[in-house]
Amino acid sequence: MVVLGAGPAGLVLGNILVDRGIDCVVLERAERTHVQTRARAGFLAANTVRILERHGLTEGLRRRGQLHSTCEFRTEDGRFRLDYSGLGQGERHTVYPQQELVTDLLTRFLERGGQLRFGVEALAVRDADSERPEVDVRDADGRPGLWRARYVAGCDGRHGAARRSLPPGTVRHHRDHGVTWLGLLAEAPPSLDAVGYAVHERGFAGHMARTSEVTRYYLQCERGTRADDWSEERIWDELELRMRAREYGPLRRGRVVQRSVVDLESDVLEPLRHGALFLVGDAAGLISPSAAKGANLAVLEASLLARALIDDLTLGDPEGLDAYSARSLVHIWRAQEFSHWMIGLLHGPSGADAESLFHNSLRRSRLTSLRTSRSHQDWFAEHYVGV
């Protein structure tokens, strides 16, 4: 088995397979230090934790992860909180930075005897419709190479070799939501004990704790903004304005150590299987960060594929592989629908024309319903935590 990509999808898949005695190599184009330090998502759904627990992958998470169950909305009509652990299915998130999870998964994979090749870039997957597909690679020194396996799992993201190797006829569903965020990682303690969603006429602002000393922030900005266009002073001033710090208390400021610009997009491929090639994680579908679903979908899809591969390779039962695409897409589209709903809840048109005023009034009504309706809150909680 060849797995492309050493993110959550590839490493969960590799861990499960190796633990069941199936030979597996993970090829990762980046170096190990980069893989273990790149900051990504940090909210793990309850089902994600159950999957990791089932396969002996929660040692670090259980020691350092923090349970979380509250989100706060700040709007022109005031603020309100939802303790979603008492709503919907009664489930909570676990806050655990993705780079720490990846480090845990990587360490466990190597301890179990898995093969991991850093600095090896997959260029193309060939002969996926055969029983012995090939992966063309190039190592860090530019030397070409070739890997052959019974199956290939493309866990290498939206720009990886797996997607580039798909045959004609693959359907791509894509939507640009027309919203851009400036993503920020600050060496600053959290300013509130909840995920903060601020809806403001100047644009959205978000607050997500990562650790006791590090906080993730988001600021809606104009399309085309570069990561270094805003000074730190401007960033903090704008965050305080949109999060209404004058009314609800100042933010704890600190050095901004990481910046990125995120254009909110949705992207799903169908089908997710092409002969011996399977798409997993961001290679299967890209989802906006508005609802923290990306890493959770990646772990879920990896577990579904792992179970199907084990049945096929050890029992000769191909049913799971045949059903992998359809089963995964059910979860992907469910997450896409909620993410799309969250984007509409948190962002509105900036104009003063009749259509903008109408859409912003609808958004305001949705927030009012979320604040006052128990059935709406139950629906929100179930979809907010679920995948």
Side-chain angles (χ1 to χ4, degrees):
M1 181 78 195
V2 172
V3 177
L4 308 181
L11 290 172
V12 167
L13 177 60
N15 265 287
I16 298 174
L17 295 179
V18 169
D19 192 48
R20 293 298 299 271
I22 296 173
D23 289 338
C24 175
V25 61
V26 176
L27 307 180
E28 169 57 49
R29 64 183 176 182
E31 295 301 328
R32 180 168 181 169
T33 300
H34 178 72
V35 170
Q36 293 184 213
T37 56
R38 55 188 173 192
R40 293 290 190 272
F43 268 57
L44 300 181
N47 188 60
T48 302
V49 175
R50 286 192 289 268
I51 291 171
L52 297 172
E53 183 85 70
R54 191 180 310 138
H55 298 289
L57 300 172
T58 56
E59 182 180 350
L61 185 153
R62 291 302 185 193
R63 284 189 285 109
R64 299 187 299 276
Q66 300 179 26
L67 291 173
H68 188 89
S69 62
T70 307
C71 54
E72 178 174 298
F73 293 86
R74 298 182 177 183
T75 76
E76 61 266 52
D77 296 316
R79 64 174 174 174
F80 65 95
R81 287 191 164 206
L82 294 179
D83 180 357
Y84 50 86
S85 65
L87 300 165
Q89 301 296 318
E91 294 185 323
R92 297 180 288 182
H93 284 110
T94 299
V95 180
Y96 193 56
Q98 183 169 311
Q99 62 269 31
E100 295 191 29
L101 175 63
V102 166
T103 297
D104 296 344
L105 295 173
L106 190 157
T107 301
R108 194 75 182 98
F109 179 68
L110 295 176
E111 289 175 349
R112 286 171 165 171
Q115 301 180 66
L116 209 163
R117 300 288 187 269
F118 293 103
V120 175
E121 181 182 8
L123 303 175
V125 180
R126 295 188 287 108
D127 299 328
D129 56 351
S130 73
E131 292 190 356
R132 202 67 175 170
E134 299 177 342
V135 181
D136 291 325
V137 302
R138 179 174 55 213
D139 67 20
D141 296 325
R143 293 172 298 191
L146 181 69
W147 288 84
R148 293 186 179 92
R150 177 65 186 91
Y151 294 114
V152 177
C155 308
D156 52 346
R158 65 184 302 198
H159 300 301
R163 277 204 174 196
R164 293 197 303 269
S165 304
L166 297 178
T170 304
V171 177
R172 182 192 182 204
H173 306 276
H174 180 263
R175 180 180 178 84
D176 185 335
H177 298 279
V179 175
T180 299
W181 285 358
L182 181 60
L184 307 159
L185 200 66
E187 287 182 340
S191 296
L192 61 157
D193 59 345
V195 174
Y197 297 110
V199 179
H200 195 277
E201 61 181 6
R202 293 176 64 91
F204 165 75
H207 165 286
M208 292 85 177
R210 285 294 176 262
T211 69
S212 61
E213 299 298 330
V214 175
T215 305
R216 169 73 73 182
Y217 285 98
Y218 290 107
L219 272 172
Q220 186 178 352
C221 58
E222 293 184 2
R223 181 62 56 91
T225 298
R226 297 175 302 179
D228 59 355
D229 280 350
W230 290 34
S231 68
E232 288 204 15
E233 183 178 6
R234 182 186 178 189
I235 286 170
W236 285 111
D237 288 348
E238 195 68 23
L239 282 169
E240 292 215 334
L241 176 66
R242 298 188 194 182
M243 298 196 73
R244 296 173 169 84
R246 182 175 296 179
E247 301 167 64
Y248 306 123
L251 303 181
R252 296 177 175 178
R253 298 192 177 199
R255 186 169 67 95
V256 176
V257 295
Q258 188 181 96
R259 306 174 181 216
S260 63
V261 174
V262 183
D263 295 330
L264 270 58
E265 297 177 86
S266 297
D267 189 84
V268 181
L269 296 188
E270 294 191 40
L272 304 182
R273 179 184 184 179
H274 301 271
L277 172 62
F278 298 85
L279 303 179
V280 191
D282 285 353
L286 181 72
I287 191 166
S288 82
S290 59
K293 300 294 185 187
N296 293 293
L297 281 173
V299 171
L300 175 61
E301 293 159 26
S303 68
L304 290 174
L305 181 56
R307 178 70 265 170
L309 287 166
I310 291 167
D311 287 347
D312 180 80
L313 295 172
T314 64
L315 303 176
D317 179 2
E319 188 275 333
L321 292 181
D322 294 338
Y324 166 73
S325 181
R327 289 173 177 168
S328 294
L329 285 166
V330 168
H331 296 279
I332 289 171
W333 281 115
R334 180 174 184 257
Q336 289 283 2
E337 193 280 329
F338 183 70
S339 174
H340 180 74
W341 181 86
M342 282 287 287
I343 291 171
L345 184 75
L346 301 174
H347 309 85
S350 58
D353 57 283
E355 185 174 357
S356 295
L357 292 173
F358 179 81
H359 281 289
N360 277 316
S361 294
L362 287 179
R363 176 186 52 76
R364 194 169 182 175
S365 177
R366 293 189 192 107
L367 284 161
T368 299
S369 179
L370 187 59
R371 184 178 69 246
T372 61
S373 168
R374 173 58 190 260
S375 61
H376 197 173
Q377 293 169 357
D378 285 332
W379 177 88
F380 172 83
E382 180 177 344
H383 287 78
Y384 190 59
V385 187
V387 284

